[in-house]
């Protein structure tokens, strides 16, 4: 069986973490996928995947081999694109990830423009309020908000956002507007778990950083749920400025304690060097950077 095909099957199983799901992505039967993995392991003389009735996980050798397979298949794809010529190079598939609300409001218009410009491309967009491991989960391009902990990723800064406290006008009229972070202990607090680990909010007070651990009245698992709770008057919440911009403009929310905000967080487009060098990824990165840098909401 073709070696590149076996590698593709292995990569798909590793990313899907499920033989049946990998089979659906590849348009193969589950037994055919199983045979392909067995054939690859037999050829290499090592065990790559440990499979039980409930899970699929890679062996240590499998993890190392996966990294090499990604590089090899990316180079094969690049070579094929180069052979077809510049005019037909931008074709294939990209996996894109971004924070949920940012992805919907800022990345989706970029995806739409890209797909219109390159009709031979397809994209999977994963908009999630968690840090996605690009290599482990097979992502080509990601948006990261905040300071970058990742080593080895290429990063292009495209803007910044503020962490803001906000509440509905109705809530503030009924309970008063806090003038100092210490007054938040007397207010109903809505925590968005992805943005407030440990129930802690950070501020600047008299030029120094201040961290307050608060007892929230409501904790929600997504940022958009926190937005909705604040709009409904459930209390004061802390979110990123782009997440509440429309509600602020419409008067459904008001900023609280603006003089105590921390410095803005940077926004980066990030990618692995090997994946970012392909014509299809480069074209998307260039479009994404150009459009995001042109957004006034991210100044």
């Amino acid at each position: 069986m073709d070696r590149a095909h076996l590698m593709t099957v292995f990569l798909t199983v590793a990313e899907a973490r499920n033989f049946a799901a990998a089979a659906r992505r590849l348009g193969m039967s589950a037994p055919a996928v199983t045979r392909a993995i067995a054939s690859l392991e037999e050829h290499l003389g090592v065990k790559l995947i440990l499979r039980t009735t409930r899970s699929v996980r890679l062996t240590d050798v499998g993890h190392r081999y996966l990294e090499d397979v990604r590089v090899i298949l990316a180079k094969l794809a690049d070579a094929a694109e180069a052979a077809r010529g510049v005019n037909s190079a931008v074709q294939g598939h990209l996996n894109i990830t971004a924070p949920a609300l940012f992805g919907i409001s800022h990345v989706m218009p970029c995806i739409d423009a890209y797909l219109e410009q390159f009709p031979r491309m397809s994209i999977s967009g994963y908009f999630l309020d968690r840090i996605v491991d690009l290599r482990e989960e097979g992502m080509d391009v990601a948006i990261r908000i905040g300071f970058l902990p990742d080593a080895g990723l290429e990063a292009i800064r495209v803007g910044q956002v503020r962490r803001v406290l906000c509440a509905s006008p109705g809530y503030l009229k009924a309970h008063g507007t806090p003038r100092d972070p210490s007054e938040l202990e007397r207010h109903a607090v809505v925590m968005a778990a992805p943005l407030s680990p440990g129930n802690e909010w950070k501020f600047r007070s008299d030029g120094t950083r201040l961290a307050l651990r608060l007892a929230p009245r409501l904790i929600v698992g997504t940022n958009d749920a926190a937005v909705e709770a604040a709009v409904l008057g459930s209390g004061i919440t802390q979110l990123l400025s782009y997440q509440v911009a429309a509600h602020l403009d419409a008067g459904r929310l008001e900023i609280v304690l603006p003089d105590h905000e921390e410095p803005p967080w940077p926004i980066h487009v990030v990618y692995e060097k090997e994946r970012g060098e392909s014509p299809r990824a480069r074209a998307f990165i260039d479009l994404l950077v150009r459009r995001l840098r042109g957004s006034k909401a991210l100044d």
Side-chain angles (χ1 to χ4, degrees):
M1 198 177 293
D2 177 58
R3 195 82 50 80
H5 172 70
L6 295 181
M7 289 181 180
T8 300
V9 173
F10 170 70
L11 174 64
T12 307
V13 171
E15 291 181 347
R17 299 175 185 272
N18 182 283
F19 273 67
R24 288 192 295 272
R25 290 186 190 181
L26 294 164
M28 299 170 60
S29 68
V33 169
T34 300
R35 288 195 297 271
I37 296 299
S39 177
L40 182 60
E41 290 178 330
E42 182 180 359
H43 170 75
L44 296 172
V46 295
K47 193 72 175 174
L48 299 172
I49 292 176
L50 298 177
R51 182 183 184 187
T52 69
T53 55
R54 294 187 178 182
S55 67
V56 167
R57 64 184 181 88
L58 300 183
T59 63
D60 289 342
V61 173
H63 278 291
R64 293 193 295 271
Y65 185 64
L66 178 61
E67 294 182 8
D68 293 335
V69 162
R70 284 197 172 114
V71 173
I72 292 168
L73 292 179
K75 289 187 179 299
L76 286 174
D78 293 346
E81 288 171 352
R84 295 186 190 106
V86 175
N87 292 335
S88 61
V90 182
Q91 60 180 302
H93 186 80
L94 289 175
N95 293 317
I96 312 298
T97 184
L101 289 177
F102 191 94
I104 293 167
S105 60
H106 291 284
V107 179
M108 270 306 305
C110 299
I111 290 176
D112 181 67
Y114 178 81
L115 292 177
E116 184 175 351
Q117 184 177 354
F118 302 109
R120 300 178 71 178
M121 283 298 306
S122 62
I123 286 179
S124 294
Y126 300 90
F127 301 148
L128 306 165
D129 285 330
R130 64 174 176 83
I131 298 295
V132 174
D133 186 310
L134 273 66
R135 181 176 291 273
E136 183 69 21
E137 301 187 48
M139 296 294 126
D140 296 288
V141 183
I143 293 291
R144 291 281 166 81
I145 298 176
F147 298 94
L148 296 175
D150 309 72
L153 290 180
E154 302 293 317
I156 303 172
R157 182 163 176 157
V158 292
Q160 62 183 20
V161 291
R162 296 152 45 219
R163 281 197 295 182
V164 299
L165 258 65
C166 55
S168 70
Y171 173 87
L172 296 174
K173 182 177 180 179
H175 302 279
T177 301
R179 305 298 176 188
D180 186 85
S182 61
E183 297 178 26
L184 291 171
E185 295 179 352
R186 300 194 295 271
H187 281 268
V189 168
V190 177
M191 290 276 186
L195 197 60
S196 304
N199 297 343
E200 187 176 85
W201 286 350
K202 296 178 180 179
F203 305 91
R204 281 187 302 179
S205 183
D206 296 326
T208 61
R209 297 186 69 186
L210 171 67
L212 288 181
R213 192 176 299 276
L214 299 166
R217 185 180 184 192
L218 174 63
I219 302 176
V220 292
T222 63
N223 296 322
D224 50 351
V227 174
E228 184 65 18
V231 169
L232 292 173
S234 297
I236 300 174
T237 193
Q238 186 181 63
L239 292 162
L240 297 177
S241 52
Y242 77 87
Q243 296 168 337
V244 294
H247 296 288
L248 293 170
D249 291 343
R252 292 185 291 267
L253 291 175
E254 295 180 8
I255 295 290
V256 177
L257 298 173
D259 295 335
H260 294 275
E261 291 176 10
E262 277 203 304
W265 282 4
I267 305 170
H268 291 91
V269 174
V270 301
Y271 55 93
E272 288 188 305
K273 183 176 176 60
E274 297 91 347
R275 285 179 176 257
E277 288 177 344
S278 73
R280 59 184 180 275
R282 190 72 258 168
F284 182 76
I285 290 166
D286 290 344
L287 185 151
L288 190 62
V289 168
R290 184 174 65 253
R291 285 189 164 232
L292 294 181
R293 282 180 172 171
S295 173
K296 293 182 178 179
L298 307 180
D299 288 342

